[in-house]
Amino acid sequence: MATCWRRQSVIFTFLLALPPQAFIYWCVSPCSDTTPPELRLFSPAKVNLMLSVHGRRNDGFHALTSLVAPLDFGDYLTIREAESHDQLLCSDPRVPIGDKNLILQAATAFRSACGRAPYFLFELEKHIPMQAGLGGGSSNAAVALRGMNQWMGH
């Protein structure tokens, strides 16, 4: 039986203030025989209805309280298994596709938390404007985590 745990906000500080449907349960297990050839997932934009920044935590980040509302508008993330490393392709050439991207950071953290997981190819169809305050990056990372978890059979 797989061992499951809730995501840790200390590890995934970039995932604070996500829409409720983005919260993820993590499981460690091998991929099942029913793993699809790809997953295409909606990554909603979100607006902060309320944000309160509290004191600094021991890890240097600040504690947050936030109330967000997901929108019907957003990006789409397609996930496939990759051979040797995680890779991100994006329809918008302005989006950074290297290690600083939250999707790839989420994939690295996912593999570290699971102890083992396949590598993934992520294709981001970008519709949420960058740096518009609509939470595109954090939503994309949350959906990537949900998709990888689903890929692992959970």
Side-chain angles (χ1 to χ4, degrees):
M1 177 169 221
T3 303
C4 298
W5 62 93
R6 290 182 189 255
R7 71 167 176 77
Q8 298 293 314
S9 62
V10 172
I11 296 172
F12 301 104
T13 55
F14 55 86
L15 295 180
L16 296 174
L18 292 175
Q21 67 268 30
F23 283 59
I24 299 157
Y25 288 86
W26 295 67
C27 300
V28 177
S29 74
C31 290
S32 69
D33 291 337
T34 60
T35 301
E38 71 177 35
L39 295 172
R40 181 174 158 85
L41 304 168
F42 179 66
S43 179
K46 60 182 175 48
V47 291
N48 281 314
L49 302 175
M50 185 274 302
L51 175 66
S52 177
V53 180
H54 308 287
R56 189 176 291 248
R57 302 182 322 199
N58 289 337
D59 61 5
F61 292 95
H62 288 84
L64 300 175
T65 301
S66 178
L67 176 63
V68 298
L71 304 177
D72 291 335
F73 165 75
D75 300 334
Y76 287 90
L77 184 66
T78 301
I79 303 174
R80 295 180 183 89
E81 193 166 339
E83 292 286 325
S84 62
H85 65 282
D86 294 317
Q87 184 179 2
L88 173 63
L89 305 174
C90 184
S91 62
D92 185 339
R94 296 171 297 166
V95 172
I97 57 172
D99 293 341
K100 300 247 185 239
N101 187 285
L102 296 180
I103 293 171
L104 294 178
Q105 290 179 19
T108 299
F110 181 82
R111 191 170 300 95
S112 176
C114 288
R116 61 188 164 106
Y119 291 101
F120 296 97
L121 169 62
F122 301 97
E123 292 184 31
L124 180 62
E125 184 182 313
K126 192 73 179 153
H127 298 282
I128 302 171
M130 289 176 31
Q131 300 180 349
L134 296 174
S138 61
S139 179
N140 295 158
V143 167
L145 288 168
R146 187 179 69 207
M148 289 182 289
N149 199 48
Q150 184 176 343
W151 193 279
M152 297 293 286
H154 301 282

